[in-house]
Amino acid sequence: MVHFVGAGPGAPDLITLRGAKLLGEAGQVIYAGSLVNPELLTYARPGVPCHDSASLTLEEVLALMEKGEEKGWDTVRLHTGDPSLYGAVREQMDALRERHIPFDVTPGVSSFSGAAAAIPAEYTLPGVSQTVILTRMPGRTPVPEGEDLSALAAHGASMALFLSTGMAGEAARHLLAGGAYRPDTPAAIVYKATWPEEKVYPCTLATLGETAEKEQITRTALILVGDFLGEEYRRSDLYNPAFSHGYRRGKEDPR
Ligand code: SAH
């Protein structure tokens, strides 16, 4: 059986308990070496083959999985963050289905959650934004036309840009073109969230491009944008003494 496991954003203790248990039981591990912290491999039993998929094709990864099945091993396919985001897992799952190889998926802490913790920030602030847009600049993988960054930016929502730090200046231009963000809208580059090398570079949309260039950050970083990084917000109704809800009667509630 193949287990797709989310490794979390970097810190080895941010994998889930289930993910760590599966790693400990695996007969082989195939990990996305460009982003997965190699320390996670110490959860596997000594001597278990660990293959870095960075230099492998989909076909080669599948061949390893098939070999694991023949040997009766459990294969852990370790993906960075949560496998459902930019993980190229769908093509693997479909190929496994075709081959009648059973699989399951264990979610992971995505880097956008790790980045919020690094700041620390809340994406969904009352009176500021109740929406988070997870997207990227087009690279070798194109982004569908309707999801053009300037179109998404028109919402003024909280945003996390994956795979885009190498194009930060261009991203800022598209974000401003949307009309809802301002040159002084707060932004941040979060490099290697939750790793020992973690760094947060606060900036604004006007300074985003130069910040990425000056700090020479091109990979393993997220760009966060939005007024959730600013000072202004409304306090929540949920914990407001005057507000009643299913679990609590508000002080000024006549009921
Ligand atoms: N599945 C992963 C994303 C894989 S795409 C997840 O859920 O996080 C790879 C991109 O994720 C990188 O280019 C970078 O933008 C982001 N990323 C991954 N790990 C990161 C980390 N620890 N800190 C900041 N960004 C990270």
Side-chain angles (χ1 to χ4, degrees):
M1 168 144 192
V2 174
H3 303 284
F4 292 92
V5 173
D13 56 351
L14 282 179
I15 192 172
T16 62
L17 292 174
R18 188 190 297 178
K21 182 166 176 283
L22 289 170
L23 261 180
E25 293 164 356
Q28 72 173 347
V29 179
I30 308 170
Y31 65 103
S34 54
L35 279 164
V36 166
N37 189 338
E39 268 189 53
L40 281 159
L41 301 178
T42 60
Y43 295 144
R45 284 170 299 171
V48 160
C50 294
H51 306 276
D52 181 354
S53 63
S55 61
L56 302 180
T57 61
L58 169 63
E59 287 70 17
E60 288 167 333
V61 168
L62 292 169
L64 286 171
M65 290 172 170
E66 282 180 316
K67 188 179 143 201
E69 286 307 293
E70 281 160 23
K71 299 219 182 243
W73 293 340
D74 273 335
T75 296
V76 164
R77 176 68 171 114
L78 195 58
H79 281 276
T80 180
D82 183 77
S84 71
L85 291 166
Y86 309 107
V89 286
R90 173 66 188 269
E91 59 195 24
Q92 299 176 68
M93 297 193 290
D94 283 348
L96 290 178
R97 239 181 244 121
E98 270 169 32
R99 289 161 176 77
H100 305 289
I101 297 177
F103 63 88
D104 61 15
V105 183
T106 300
V109 177
S110 177
S111 58
F112 81 89
S113 299
I119 288 194
E122 177 178 349
Y123 288 114
T124 51
L125 284 177
V128 177
S129 175
Q130 292 291 290
T131 304
V132 188
I133 296 179
L134 307 178
T135 188
R136 61 170 298 172
M137 283 286 285
R140 284 163 99 181
T141 307
V143 171
E145 218 175 285
E147 296 172 19
D148 182 75
L149 193 53
S150 49
L152 298 179
H155 298 285
S158 304
M159 198 181 283
L161 289 178
F162 289 71
L163 299 156
S164 303
T165 332
M167 296 167 273
E170 205 187 329
R173 281 190 290 282
H174 285 279
L175 290 165
L176 285 169
Y181 300 124
R182 315 161 309 275
D184 69 350
T185 294
I189 299 173
V190 184
Y191 172 72
K192 287 204 140 181
T194 81
W195 289 68
E197 309 92 298
E198 170 186 291
K199 282 229 157 61
V200 175
Y201 301 98
C203 55
T204 63
L205 269 191
T207 60
L208 177 63
E210 66 196 59
T211 304
E213 227 165 87
K214 190 173 120 234
E215 307 295 347
Q216 299 195 318
I217 304 163
T218 53
R219 40 199 321 218
T220 333
L222 284 171
I223 298 171
L224 307 185
V225 183
D227 281 321
F228 76 99
L229 294 167
E231 301 301 321
E232 306 285 319
Y233 65 97
R234 215 166 46 76
R235 69 171 283 175
S236 71
D237 289 330
L238 188 62
Y239 296 106
N240 188 332
F243 188 83
S244 304
H245 57 72
Y247 296 94
R248 187 169 53 73
R249 171 85 40 99
K251 283 214 180 81
E252 285 142 47
D253 190 330
R255 270 181 302 164

